[in-house]
Each structure stands twice: as C-alpha cells, then as structure tokens.
Amino acid sequence: MLQIAGVNSDHLLGVGVSIPGVVRREDNAVVRDILQRELNCPVIVENNVKAFAEAELIYGSGKDQENLLFVKWGPGVGACFVLHKQIYESRRFQSAEIGHMTVEWEDAQRHLCLGWLETRVSAHAVADQVRQRCTRSAMPLLYRNRRGDVSSIAAHNIDEWIACGDSGMWQVIEESIDLLARAVTNVATFLAPDQTIFYGDLFELPTIRERFLAACQRYNTDCRAEGFSRSQLSDKLEYIGPLAIVVDRLFLNRRVTSDLNQ
C-alpha cells in the first residue's frame, strides 16, 4: 500500500487496524507486535465498531452530541455506546454486544434452542433465510430474477437480488428488520441517547433503511425521525475507523475508559 501510494516508510507516523471481537489494547497482541516489527512504527489495534465510533467523535456527529448509540448492520451486528463523549467499555474491554442479545427461546419437545440476534439478522442470515424459502411459487419474482439458481442468493450480492421487489422475499426480510428494530428500540429506550447512528452494508440499501426506521417507530412512538440517522461517514467505512484511532492516540490522546484507568 505504501508503494502504491508513493509514500516513503520513513514518513509513516502510525498504523491503525480495526478487527471484529474483543481487543485488549494494552496487552501484547500478536497482530500489533507482528505489524510493529515489520513496519517499524506505532500500531494501534481496536475493535471495528469502537474504531468507527472514535471516527464519529472526531469527524462526525460526536462533535455536537454528548451521548450516542451506534448500530452496525452488515456481515455482523454490532453496537457501541458513547457516554459524555467517551466510548464506554467494561473492564474486560467489551462494549455493547447487541448481536448477542437473546431474541428467541424455543422448547420443542424439551429441545431448547437459544437464538442470538446476530444469528437471525446478519446479512448472511438474511440471505440464508431467503435462499431456503425461495421457490417458484413462494417468491416468483426473485426466482425468475435468479433464473432458478437460488444458490446465487448470497450476502455479497444482496443489493442485486433485493431490487426485484418480490413480496415473498420482503416478508422474510421484514422478519429480520423487525427483530433488529425491536432490539435497537429497547436499547435506545434504556439509554436515551441524544442520537442513534446506524451504518453498515444493509443500512446502505434505502428500502431496508426506510423499513427499519418505520419498524423502530412502531415499537416506540417516541422515536423521533431526527433521533435516528445514517452515519455521514458511511462512504468512508473501509478506512475512517483505523485512521481515527491513530489520530486519537498520537495527537488527541483522549481514550476510552480502560486507558483512563491506566
């Protein structure tokens, strides 16, 4: 990347890396150590959702709001709280694991099944459910759109097949939208953030975004449209989070709870 950009490695101030899962920044993380050794510069590793929240605090809505709730919807489902302009995390470096909220509990002949939100509403889960239920009779428009090849219904091309507008397809997708909206409104009702900011691949699709906001208002009539907004940094999703954690650590030096307790 440095060669492509024509940047001399001597001019490299630092590298930001955002990854899914729990990140213990002060530990000797293997990812960080390998990159620092190879690049010979500071490397900061952070959870991807918290990194994006950091970007919002520096470049986006966080400049004007005190308390924020971030919701990401794409290959995974994630969330993050900002309280008084600081990213909240527990002593175990965890933040809001909204994707691990229990949304189903079945007891079919004593066989218990625990259902997490992410297993039902992630982009892969949505595509799987549509693909499994797509037949010539149940979803005629989508079946024709895919020329009978239901295996081509996948998360990576959801923007292509969702455009067919099949009513049977939307019925399946609405189930996932409903589950996510219920979880988000419950969390937002409890925390009462100044703003709920959403981003991610599925929120980039206008039809899904509109149906999600409508579902949120069904579950909580106090959900004002102006209180929910798509991130203004969505088009910079691939790099803005890693950039923000480097800017914060090397220049602003205002970190989340765990750093403040060092």
Side-chain angles (χ1 to χ4, degrees), residues 50 83 248:
K50 287 194 284 187
L83 304 176
D248 175 76

Side-chain angles (χ1 to χ4, degrees), residues 19-205:
I19 59 177
V22 177
V23 175
R24 296 171 175 82
R25 287 180 308 281
E26 301 307 319
D27 293 351
N28 292 320
V30 175
V31 172
R32 185 190 65 190
D33 290 349
I34 292 175
L35 287 174
Q36 283 188 160
R37 184 171 63 248
E38 297 295 330
L39 297 173
N40 194 30
C41 73
V43 174
I44 299 97
V45 182
E46 181 57 280
N47 167 268
N48 59 338
V49 179
K50 287 194 284 187
F52 190 82
E54 191 69 62
E56 283 283 355
L57 288 173
I58 298 173
Y59 305 112
S61 300
K63 293 187 295 184
D64 305 314
Q65 304 287 353
E66 286 282 329
N67 307 304
L68 298 166
L69 168 63
F70 294 93
V71 179
K72 179 183 180 181
W73 190 16
V77 179
C80 181
F81 304 148
V82 169
L83 304 176
H84 303 301
K85 289 189 178 293
Q86 289 191 325
I87 297 172
Y88 169 80
E89 64 180 20
S90 72
R91 291 182 179 273
R92 294 185 296 172
F93 300 94
Q94 292 176 313
S95 188
E97 296 291 345
I98 191 173
H100 291 174
M101 290 178 65
T102 303
V103 295
E104 290 181 313
W105 184 264
E106 300 177 358
D107 186 354
Q109 297 179 348
R110 308 299 298 173
H111 294 288
L112 299 178
C113 174
L114 177 65
W116 285 350
L117 181 65
E118 186 167 280
T119 65
R120 285 294 311 277
V121 309
S122 71
H124 294 290
V126 171
D128 288 346
Q129 292 166 49
V130 171
R131 184 172 58 250
Q132 291 168 11
R133 293 158 67 174
C134 180
T135 64
R136 189 191 300 272
S137 58
M139 303 179 190
L141 294 181
L142 179 57
Y143 192 87
R144 189 181 313 132
N145 175 274
R146 297 289 95 188
R147 298 179 180 178
D149 180 15
V150 297
S151 66
S152 66
I153 299 173
H156 72 270
N157 62 351
I158 191 171
D159 58 326
E160 297 176 8
W161 50 264
I162 201 175
C164 75
D166 189 283
S167 59
M169 172 200 72
W170 273 113
Q171 182 178 351
V172 175
I173 297 175
E174 283 278 9
E175 294 172 4
S176 296
I177 292 174
D178 186 77
L179 282 175
L180 181 62
R182 192 188 313 166
V184 171
T185 52
N186 283 340
V187 172
T189 299
F190 179 75
L191 292 175
D194 301 324
Q195 190 93 21
T196 297
I197 299 175
F198 50 85
Y199 69 101
D201 296 342
L202 290 177
F203 283 130
E204 290 304 296
L205 303 174

